[in-house]
Amino acid sequence: MKTTYLTSRISRCFTGYLFALAALAFWPHAASAQLLGYEPFDYPAGELLCPEAAVAQRTDADGRYWISGTSATAKSDAAIVADNLSFPGLATSTGGSMTNGSGASQQSNRYVFSPGAGINEGTLYVSFLMRVDHLGATFQGAPNQQGILTGLGYYNALGTFIQTGLLWVGAGTDSTSYRLGAKRQAASPFTLVQWAADEGGTPIDYSVGDTVLVVQAYTFNPTGSSDDDYAIWVNPDPTTFGTDTPPPASATAYAEGNDLAYIDRINFRQSTAVQTPQAVTFDEIRVGLSWADVTPVAGPARPEIISVEGAGTTAVTVTWNNTLIGVNYVLQYTTSLTSPQWTDLAAVAGTGGTASQTDNPPSGDTGRYYRVQVMTQ
């Protein structure tokens, strides 16, 4: 029995173990594919997330950064706090978390996960943990005052922020609950918001003070200008974490308005006190190209691909760290991540601190992605 490394952690699933996707290596470029973005908010507690107005800040080693979208002269008061949010079955949180501020009108903070490029094909997944701490005395949420919590988008040539793939928040059935929904555009009619619902179609109420896991997916469809798909999952089943295929979505959006040219950032928005909760905490933002990327499962560390040698030649050796002593591994390859067809190489025994496997791509091969599996039998 083979156990695929699909996310960054280990989890018991069905009759075996479901493991995390080892960093993909692409032959012949010898590059390692990672999450497009990961933000654990590992900053000093008490600092503002974006202490400057309208400039790139909190830039990481890969060039990802935060920018306040509040205005050219005003900064957002979203702040770093020391505590983590967590969700059963999800990889352990690190760092701190972020609050959305005091509830001042029209604040926003944008996480730019793909600076200078952006994603314009396939499906983009974003996950994060959130907790509504206070709805506020004036929060109404529905029917026409429901507001946007997050949006996916980019800046156009005129310097205008274009966003769609929107996570909406609305009022629940009482003063301690709220709803989450999907809608592609910010414009009316607001009745087009599709609320996360149970199997009978009844919108689900989420309680103030509870942590929820949200996953968003935006799929670029090349056949039209307003046919892209957008879906959200709220508190998905932990047994689906780290798998190749996502479960049924909690809500999908109507195809309204123009498609996005590309996506390079996610906007965390604090609208008016009437439209959005007064205080929301966010944590563990992940951006990737698969469900497995953004739903890492809890457990021991996984093997990581640490080198690809001989790229561009007829013999490519992939080496990974052997974190599970005494097991057998198999290396797989595929020539595409859009519709991957994984092919096994020979099994390899992991006996020392590392394990490796050599592949011999045929002449004319245009490139290969690699992943590691564990042979549990």
Side-chain angles (χ1 to χ4, degrees):
M1 176 181 176
K2 291 177 294 188
T3 304
T4 307
Y5 275 75
L6 293 169
T7 63
S8 61
R9 303 284 177 169
I10 242 178
S11 172
R12 187 177 295 275
C13 180
F14 305 109
T15 60
Y17 287 95
L18 184 61
F19 292 95
L21 174 61
L24 289 172
F26 182 56
W27 178 88
H29 302 293
S32 293
Q34 303 171 347
L35 282 173
L36 297 176
Y38 173 58
E39 178 55 90
F41 298 102
D42 192 12
Y43 312 117
E47 292 187 355
L48 295 180
L49 175 65
C50 293
E52 302 177 64
V55 297
Q57 50 212 298
R58 305 283 184 192
T59 304
D60 69 13
D62 295 309
R64 307 179 190 99
Y65 63 88
W66 284 89
I67 185 168
S68 171
T70 301
S71 74
T73 58
K75 59 189 177 185
S76 163
D77 64 354
I80 304 301
V81 294
D83 295 337
N84 294 124
L85 301 183
S86 61
F87 191 84
L90 195 68
T92 303
S93 299
T94 62
S97 55
M98 179 265 285
T99 66
N100 67 345
S102 63
S105 175
Q106 305 302 319
Q107 293 192 358
S108 64
N109 297 277
R110 294 161 188 170
Y111 177 52
V112 183
F113 58 82
S114 186
I119 304 301
N120 63 2
E121 62 182 0
T123 299
L124 179 73
Y125 290 86
V126 177
S127 72
F128 54 86
L129 298 171
M130 60 168 282
R131 183 186 66 211
V132 173
D133 298 304
H134 302 288
L135 289 174
T138 60
F139 175 69
Q140 297 179 9
N144 294 323
Q145 294 297 330
Q146 54 221 19
I148 302 167
L149 277 184
T150 70
L152 305 174
Y154 70 100
Y155 273 101
N156 66 12
L158 300 177
T160 301
F161 183 56
I162 308 298
Q163 63 178 336
T164 186
L166 306 174
L167 177 70
W168 289 72
V169 60
T173 54
D174 57 40
S175 60
T176 64
S177 64
Y178 63 95
R179 295 172 181 175
L180 295 173
K183 186 174 186 291
R184 280 190 42 181
Q185 297 293 321
S188 62
F190 298 108
T191 53
L192 293 183
V193 174
Q194 299 299 292
W195 301 109
D198 61 21
E199 293 181 355
T202 301
I204 298 172
D205 284 355
Y206 302 98
S207 298
V208 171
D210 288 349
T211 297
V212 301
L213 171 63
V214 176
V215 183
Q216 301 169 273
Y218 188 95
T219 300
F220 293 89
N221 294 316
T223 56
S225 61
S226 61
D227 65 343
D228 288 354
D229 296 320
Y230 173 64
I232 65 169
W233 293 259
V234 183
N235 293 341
D237 186 341
T239 63
T240 69
F241 294 172
T243 60
D244 285 322
T245 304
S250 301
T252 55
Y254 285 112
E256 33 143 0
N258 294 327
D259 295 337
L260 288 174
Y262 63 93
I263 300 172
D264 69 355
R265 66 197 66 198
I266 177 171
N267 184 27
F268 289 82
R269 190 168 181 268
Q270 173 76 21
S271 189
T272 68
V274 173
Q275 292 175 306
T276 52
Q278 180 180 3
V280 184
T281 300
F282 296 97
D283 197 5
E284 293 293 300
I285 303 169
R286 291 180 173 88
V287 186
L289 298 177
S290 72
W291 176 263
D293 286 344
V294 301
T295 59
V297 291
R302 62 182 168 90
E304 298 275 359
I305 291 177
I306 57 179
S307 69
V308 180
E309 298 178 353
T313 69
T314 56
V316 180
T317 300
V318 181
T319 301
W320 56 94
N321 61 336
N322 181 28
T323 58
L324 299 172
I325 304 297
V327 304
N328 291 332
Y329 297 95
V330 64
L331 188 67
Q332 291 185 321
Y333 71 86
T334 182
T335 58
S336 171
L337 290 181
T338 303
S339 299
Q341 299 293 323
W342 296 99
T343 300
D344 287 356
L345 298 174
V348 173
T351 57
T354 63
S356 63
Q357 173 70 296
T358 297
D359 184 22
N360 294 282
S363 176
D365 196 304
T366 58
R368 293 186 175 190
Y369 293 91
Y370 296 98
R371 73 178 181 184
V372 178
Q373 287 191 322
V374 167
M375 308 291 292
T376 57
Q377 294 288 343

